[in-house]
Amino acid sequence: MSQKNKFVYAFEQFGRSFLLPVSVLPGAGIIKGIGTAFSNSDTLKMFPVLQNQIFQFIMKFFITLGDTAFNHLPIIFAVGVAVGLAKREKGSAALSGVLGFIVLHSVLNFLLVQSHSLVDTSKLSSAEAKLAMANAMQTKVMGIQTLDLSVFGGIIVGVVVFFVHRWAVKKQLPALIGFFSGPRFVPIVTIVAMAFVSVILFFIWPPIQQGISVMSVFILKSGPLGTFLYGLVERALLPFGLHHGLNWPVRTTELGGTWTINGERVVGTINAYLASLADPNITSIDPSITRFNGGKFVYFMFGLSGAAYAMYKTADPKKRKVVGSLLFAAAGTAFLTGITEPIEFTFLFVAPILYIAHAFMAGTALLVMHLLGAGVATPTGHGFINLIIYGVLQGPKTHWWLVFIVGVPCFILYYYVFRLLILKFNLKTPGREDSDEVKLSSKKEAREKLGVTINQVGQDNSNNDLHPEDQALLNSGTAMKTIPDSPEGIYQQALGLIAAHGGPDNIEEVNACITRLRINVKDKAQVDKDTIVHQLGALGFAENDMQMQSIYGAHANVLKMEIQDILGMEE
């Protein structure tokens, strides 16, 4: 396989690992969106009937359920990416993902305390504490006050765990501490690796945040061009969780603008919008108030739906039913509630060129709505539910109909742009993967993609032999060595064990406990016990029915994984 193909393959695997955590979001988004829409104070004022205690209890319960996923999205990504990228021992990868995430934020908290940078919230109300932490780009994660890395922090952890896992999972430690070899070694190394990564992030993240603040001021002061740039940059920052540093000041501070409404000075776009809705003398809302807001309804509701439809139409026809359930649920979440992460993350890392196109079209949607004089906005959630509440029900002063007039062409634009890019560059969006199913790649698929012929254990392999080099070593008998101390030696020892157990056709299952390599065979008469003990370094040998048990101490698990790799066996 060429270097280019290896890079493409690795990037596809990286992108596909995001499907696991992303699959959690559509359902959680719809549940939270419904709860939020029917329990906020403005909705209750307009529809007093919704103030029923039982109904409000249910709506608040919905919000809690939705927040369970969205408030812990970073750790979900840390575990999801680590598990998605790991080729074996996924349980070890998952544990290391959780541990690495805790280490990251614990170390950042320690460094903030030691550098006297931690915002003191002990004497502040909940709202004041959130504002103070937001201004300092800090937040609380699992009860730990830390830097606000958002989902990006989880992705960093997942990637670090992947590299640690790949290196450490087969490491054989000295006999004295041999118990900690293999999968047990991964979490230990993860602690050390994430400590170093955390220190690096502590120093590089503040300059990144400062650069964003400077860029934000420039965008806000540059007229219609600034409206376009705002939409472009805001979407570009979303994957890193840095879009809050752009949105929060615009919505609530003078950076968003200053207006005099009903004789009072109002700062921030959302404050000005709500004040404009409450002023009966205002018959048309100033589009300068909503220029960073109104266009979001267009691409949240219509644009991303067009993107989902394009991915659906370009998917393999055999996979469309499965693909449709993922894409349309994610698009429905964006359309109804304005929560876009499920659909955006579906293509963000699998095909980043689509996300770049999305960012440009999002900026264009904001610009067009600004130039047309749209006056519709919402405090949060640019979906259909909030469009009804904050747009349609507020009357003609919001010019809410522009959302639909611009939205339909936006749907078409997104559809054709996504379709063109997917087909032109053969992007591996959902349903276009090389595998037969819409799922994470298995070890078997990975080996096939690397051009390695796989022996199917327990089946007729007359036309599906081992890799020629593997077969040659098996036939020569040169693989039968004592305990090795190098990857090449482990590989040869594993080949020797395969031969000593009657070859691939005789092996049904390979497993290991703490000290024993356990291989289930079809015919135990073909097993060469003497070779296993005297030439292949086993400390002892036992059998339990058709299961052959070779005692190798902590080295047993390393041999298990090597044999599984050679035979193309799944965990």
Side-chain angles (χ1 to χ4, degrees):
M1 179 181 287
S2 68
Q3 281 299 118
K4 180 180 179 181
N5 288 339
K6 285 182 179 180
F7 174 79
V8 171
Y9 167 72
F11 198 82
E12 287 175 7
Q13 290 292 97
F14 175 65
R16 207 174 300 170
S17 71
F18 286 85
L19 292 179
L20 180 60
V22 164
S23 65
V24 176
L25 304 185
I30 291 174
I31 292 171
K32 179 181 178 180
I34 292 173
T36 302
F38 292 106
S39 64
N40 70 70
S41 57
D42 296 301
T43 306
L44 297 180
K45 288 178 183 178
M46 289 185 285
F47 304 101
V49 69
L50 298 179
Q51 296 180 19
N52 178 276
Q53 289 186 349
I54 296 177
F55 181 77
Q56 285 303 305
F57 174 84
I58 295 173
M59 291 302 101
K60 290 176 182 177
F61 185 64
F62 278 11
I63 294 173
T64 300
L65 289 178
D67 282 341
T68 301
F70 284 95
N71 289 350
H72 298 91
L73 207 54
I75 193 170
I76 291 173
F77 269 81
V79 176
V81 171
V83 170
L85 291 174
K87 300 297 187 296
R88 60 179 68 86
E89 296 293 341
K90 291 180 180 287
S92 174
L95 174 62
S96 300
V98 174
L99 184 60
F101 187 81
I102 295 173
V103 169
L104 169 66
H105 291 294
S106 296
V107 170
L108 289 176
N109 174 268
F110 171 80
L111 295 173
L112 287 170
V113 171
Q114 295 301 314
S115 63
H116 306 290
S117 303
L118 193 74
V119 174
D120 183 6
T121 61
S122 59
K123 298 180 181 180
L124 302 177
S125 67
S126 177
E128 291 172 335
K130 286 183 179 179
L131 178 60
M133 286 192 293
N135 289 336
M137 291 301 288
Q138 296 179 18
T139 188
K140 282 196 173 182
V141 176
M142 299 177 65
I144 304 170
Q145 190 169 329
T146 177
L147 291 179
D148 189 0
L149 304 180
S150 190
V151 171
F152 189 57
I155 294 171
I156 291 174
V157 172
V159 172
V160 171
V161 168
F162 163 65
F163 284 108
V164 168
H165 186 273
R166 188 174 66 174
W167 174 79
V169 75
K170 287 187 176 182
K171 285 297 176 183
Q172 175 64 29
L173 301 178
L176 185 64
I177 54 174
F179 174 80
F180 299 102
S181 298
R184 302 179 190 89
F185 191 43
V186 178
I188 298 172
V189 180
T190 297
I191 293 175
V192 178
M194 283 311 307
F196 279 105
V197 172
S198 302
V199 172
I200 294 172
L201 285 173
F202 178 77
F203 287 104
I204 70 172
W205 205 253
I208 293 174
Q209 294 170 343
Q210 292 174 3
I212 291 170
S213 297
V214 172
M215 181 174 59
S216 300
V217 174
F218 167 77
I219 289 172
L220 295 171
K221 303 299 181 183
S222 55
L225 175 61
T227 303
F228 169 78
L229 291 175
Y230 177 90
L232 170 65
V233 174
E234 195 260 353
R235 286 297 94 183
L237 294 177
L238 175 69
F240 307 100
L242 299 177
H243 59 303
H244 298 300
L246 192 61
N247 287 333
W248 182 265
V250 169
R251 294 178 179 179
T252 59
T253 73
E254 292 184 359
L255 281 176
T258 303
W259 297 266
T260 300
I261 301 172
N262 199 19
E264 295 185 6
R265 181 175 180 269
V266 182
V267 300
T269 59
I270 290 303
N271 297 328
Y273 182 69
L274 295 177
S276 298
L277 292 181
D279 188 345
N281 296 318
I282 294 179
T283 57
S284 181
I285 292 178
D286 184 351
S288 68
I289 295 174
T290 61
R291 68 180 179 128
F292 300 128
N293 207 294
K296 289 186 176 182
F297 283 109
V298 172
Y299 69 83
F300 277 32
M301 292 171 55
F302 295 94
L304 289 172
S305 296
Y309 189 56
M311 289 187 282
Y312 171 77
K313 292 292 286 185
T314 54
D316 185 334
K318 297 178 182 178
K319 303 177 185 178
R320 283 183 183 168
K321 283 187 177 181
V322 179
V323 170
S325 65
L326 169 69
L327 293 175
F328 294 147
T333 299
F335 185 88
L336 289 173
T337 69
I339 296 173
T340 62
E341 284 89 343
I343 182 65
E344 288 174 319
F345 284 5
T346 298
F347 62 83
L348 168 59
F349 296 100
V350 175
I353 190 173
L354 294 180
Y355 198 84
I356 294 171
H358 164 50
F360 274 92
M361 289 187 286
T364 302
L366 262 66
L367 174 62
V368 170
M369 289 290 278
H370 180 196
L371 295 177
L372 290 177
V376 63
T378 176
T380 182
H382 296 77
F384 182 73
I385 295 173
N386 277 349
L387 175 62
I388 297 296
I389 295 170
Y390 292 101
V392 178
L393 296 178
Q394 303 302 326
K397 69 163 64 177
T398 65
H399 296 180
W400 56 266
W401 53 85
L402 288 173
V403 172
F404 295 93
I405 293 174
V406 179
V408 173
C410 185
F411 176 94
I412 297 172
L413 177 65
Y414 265 77
Y415 172 76
Y416 281 107
V417 169
F418 268 59
R419 180 183 175 87
L420 174 66
L421 293 175
I422 290 170
L423 296 178
K424 181 176 178 59
F425 296 105
N426 192 27
L427 302 176
K428 300 302 181 182
T429 48
R432 293 176 58 81
E433 302 94 340
D434 295 331
S435 59
D436 292 334
E437 300 178 69
V438 182
K439 61 180 182 61
L440 299 178
S441 286
S442 67
K443 183 187 299 180
K444 177 176 178 290
E445 294 163 349
R447 288 172 65 91
E448 286 175 342
K449 200 162 187 177
L450 287 169
V452 178
T453 305
I454 297 174
N455 185 287
Q456 299 294 329
V457 177
Q459 298 180 13
D460 180 8
N461 295 293
S462 58
N463 295 318
N464 188 24
D465 295 329
L466 289 173
H467 191 281
E469 293 179 3
D470 297 349
Q471 193 64 58
L473 281 171
L474 278 172
N475 295 336
S476 68
T478 58
M480 300 179 184
K481 305 293 182 182
T482 56
I483 293 179
D485 57 4
S486 69
E488 293 77 12
I490 294 171
Y491 172 74
Q492 290 190 352
Q493 187 182 25
L495 286 171
L497 284 166
I498 294 171
H501 283 82
D505 291 341
N506 196 43
I507 296 175
E508 290 189 319
E509 185 179 351
V510 181
N511 215 318
C513 61
I514 294 176
T515 61
R516 297 190 179 203
L517 174 67
R518 301 171 183 265
I519 298 180
N520 289 24
V521 297
K522 298 176 184 177
D523 180 7
K524 60 183 179 182
Q526 297 185 36
V527 178
D528 188 346
K529 304 171 189 177
D530 290 337
T531 295
I532 293 171
V533 174
H534 295 111
Q535 297 188 45
L536 293 171
L539 303 175
F541 182 88
E543 62 180 69
N544 181 12
D545 194 20
M546 304 303 287
Q547 184 182 86
M548 306 296 109
Q549 302 177 6
S550 305
I551 302 172
Y552 280 100
H555 187 58
N557 202 68
V558 175
L559 285 171
K560 177 203 79 171
M561 290 184 289
E562 193 69 35
I563 293 171
Q564 285 179 334
D565 274 355
I566 294 171
L567 298 178
M569 299 176 71
E570 300 295 334
E571 293 287 350

